[in-house]
């Protein structure tokens, strides 16, 4: 059993992981049943930043389940559900304060277009998830409903993918060591100025790697690095709900994760990769982003 060290409140990280798997799978099945059906679609930060009635309903479902099962924990959802029954005081101790950081549908544009590459991400984090650099995941799960899979991990417990029959298989990144042979996933923010700068970054990076893949879900891209479907992934302007669970799945699988010019993922972005290409990729991305004008200017909010 993986537990934190606090003598009074021994949080069982395995219990958090099991709960994350159960809820990610339930919410994943909930949204999959509704894809292709009639649902309302609205926009958020830009005309291309979509949210559906199903995103909101999935977040309500996850909030209800977690309020019942973990009533003292905080909640931070992409679609605006924020709860903090413990009254804040976020610290780095899993026994003091857990916040559930949730993306009820990651890859909403794919979901609306009927593309199967979307996910539900459920992560238990310590610290303050409203401030990049001030939090870290300790357990989490990413459901890929179209494949019946749930990727999951907890600190110190390794990373796994569970199939529709509940059978767990361990995850490992590729043994890539050459940047020129690196298959690199990426994504783009919604704001026009950020997208232009991100495209300028790619002009510098693309000639240095094998090829680029743009899947449309940060959570699935991170899990792809963890299981070797990608050698690496980076994206500028991500949000905590996009990456919280996938970040842990990568590191527990033996992959490497950092931010852009920071040791932890930040509003500037996230870089995740097989360990053999990490240093070369980080150097390449940081050189490219300096050439294109530095940071994506991301406040931690919808991009
Ligand atoms: C998505 C991210 C993806 C990014 C997309 C979108 P959403 O999250 O997971 O990496 O490139 O533009 O932001 O908005 O579907 O939850």
């Amino acid at each position: 059993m993986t537990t934190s060290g606090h003598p009074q409140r021994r949080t069982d990280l395995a219990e958090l992981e099991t709960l994350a798997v159960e809820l990610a799978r339930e919410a994943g099945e909930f949204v999959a049943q509704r894809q292709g059906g009639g649902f309302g679609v609205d926009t958020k930060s830009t005309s291309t930043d979509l949210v559906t009635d199903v995103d909101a309903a999935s977040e309500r479902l996850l909030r209800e389940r977690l309020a019942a099962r973990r009533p003292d924990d905080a909640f931070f959802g992409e679609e605006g559900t924020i709860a903090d029954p413990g009254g804040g005081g976020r610290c780095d101790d899993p026994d003091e304060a857990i916040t559930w950081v949730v993306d009820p549908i990651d890859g909403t544009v794919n979901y609306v277009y009927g593309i199967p590459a979307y996910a539900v991400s459920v992560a238990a984090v310590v610290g303050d998830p409203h401030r990049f650099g001030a939090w870290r995941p300790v357990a989490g799960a990413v459901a890929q409903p179209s494949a019946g899979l749930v990727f999951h991990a907890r600190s110190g417990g390794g990373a796994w993918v569970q199939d529709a029959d509940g059978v767990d298989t361990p995850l490992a990144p590729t043994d890539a060591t050459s940047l020129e042979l690196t298959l690199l996933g990426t994504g783009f923010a919604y704001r026009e100025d950020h997208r232009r700068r991100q495209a300028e970054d790619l002009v510098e990076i693309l000639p240095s790697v094998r090829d680029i893949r743009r899947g449309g879900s940060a959570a699935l891209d991170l899990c792809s690095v963890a299981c070797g479907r990608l050698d690496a992934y980076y994206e500028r302007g991500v949000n905590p709900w996009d990456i919280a669970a996938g970040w842990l799945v990568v590191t527990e699988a033996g992959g490497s994760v950092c931010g852009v010019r920071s040791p932890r993922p930040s509003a500037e972005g996230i870089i995740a990769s097989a360990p053999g290409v990490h240093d070369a990729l980080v150097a390449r991305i940081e050189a490219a982003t300096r050439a294109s004008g530095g940071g994506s200017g991301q406040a931690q909010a919808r991009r």
Side-chain angles (χ1 to χ4, degrees):
M1 175 173 76
T2 309
T3 62
S4 59
H6 194 286
Q8 279 72 37
R9 285 185 56 200
R10 298 179 63 80
T11 298
D12 182 339
L13 299 186
E15 284 180 9
L16 298 183
E17 181 185 19
T18 300
L19 181 56
V21 171
E22 175 191 330
L23 297 186
R25 187 177 290 280
E26 179 185 2
E29 290 167 357
F30 174 87
V31 301
Q33 289 161 7
R34 288 154 178 81
Q35 189 178 31
F39 49 75
V41 182
D42 201 348
T43 60
K44 294 191 287 190
S45 62
T46 69
S47 60
T48 58
D49 183 2
L50 302 183
V51 58
T52 72
D53 297 344
V54 186
D55 290 84
S58 174
E59 186 160 301
R60 284 195 300 274
L61 181 153
L62 289 164
R63 175 63 193 133
E64 286 165 9
R65 296 286 188 276
L66 286 165
R69 304 277 288 273
R70 298 279 306 181
D72 295 335
D73 293 353
F75 185 94
F76 180 26
E78 174 180 9
E79 305 315 337
T81 310
I82 294 177
D84 189 2
R90 299 278 156 249
C91 66
D92 203 48
D93 184 340
D95 287 296
E96 287 308 311
I98 293 288
T99 301
W100 292 90
V101 179
V102 163
D103 194 334
I105 302 178
D106 186 51
T108 298
V109 172
N110 286 347
Y111 182 78
V112 169
Y113 277 78
I115 297 170
Y118 63 90
V120 173
S121 181
V122 179
V125 312
V126 295
D128 180 1
H130 300 270
R131 288 188 299 117
F132 259 121
W135 61 277
R136 63 183 173 90
V138 293
V142 176
Q144 184 178 6
S146 60
L149 301 177
V150 181
F151 299 86
H152 61 96
R154 66 177 185 271
S155 292
W160 308 82
V161 60
Q162 184 185 95
D163 68 16
D165 298 322
V167 177
D168 274 327
T169 302
L171 299 177
T174 66
D175 58 4
T177 55
S178 159
L179 189 59
E180 292 69 29
L181 299 181
T182 292
L183 186 61
L184 177 65
T186 192
F188 306 100
Y190 291 112
R191 277 180 42 179
E192 184 183 333
D193 55 336
H194 294 159
R195 295 168 69 80
R196 179 173 289 106
R197 240 201 313 273
Q198 290 163 348
E200 288 165 0
D201 294 350
L202 271 186
V203 168
E204 299 292 321
I205 294 166
L206 182 56
S208 308
V209 297
R210 179 192 295 273
D211 205 346
I212 294 289
R213 292 291 183 270
R214 200 284 195 246
S217 163
L220 288 184
D221 287 337
L222 287 164
C223 292
S224 291
V225 172
C227 70
R229 291 190 301 210
L230 289 172
D231 296 308
Y233 159 74
Y234 92 101
E235 185 163 349
R236 312 282 295 283
V238 290
N239 283 288
W241 46 78
D242 296 321
I243 66 167
W247 168 7
L248 187 64
V249 171
V250 172
T251 54
E252 286 298 319
S256 302
V257 173
C258 66
V260 177
R261 283 184 288 280
S262 71
R264 282 187 182 180
S266 71
E268 281 311 309
I270 185 171
I271 303 171
S273 74
V277 295
H278 196 68
D279 291 347
L281 179 63
V282 169
R284 193 74 200 83
I285 289 171
E286 292 184 354
T289 54
R290 273 193 294 274
S292 71
S296 60
Q298 299 292 316
Q300 184 177 312
R302 284 304 301 178
R303 348 199 248 294

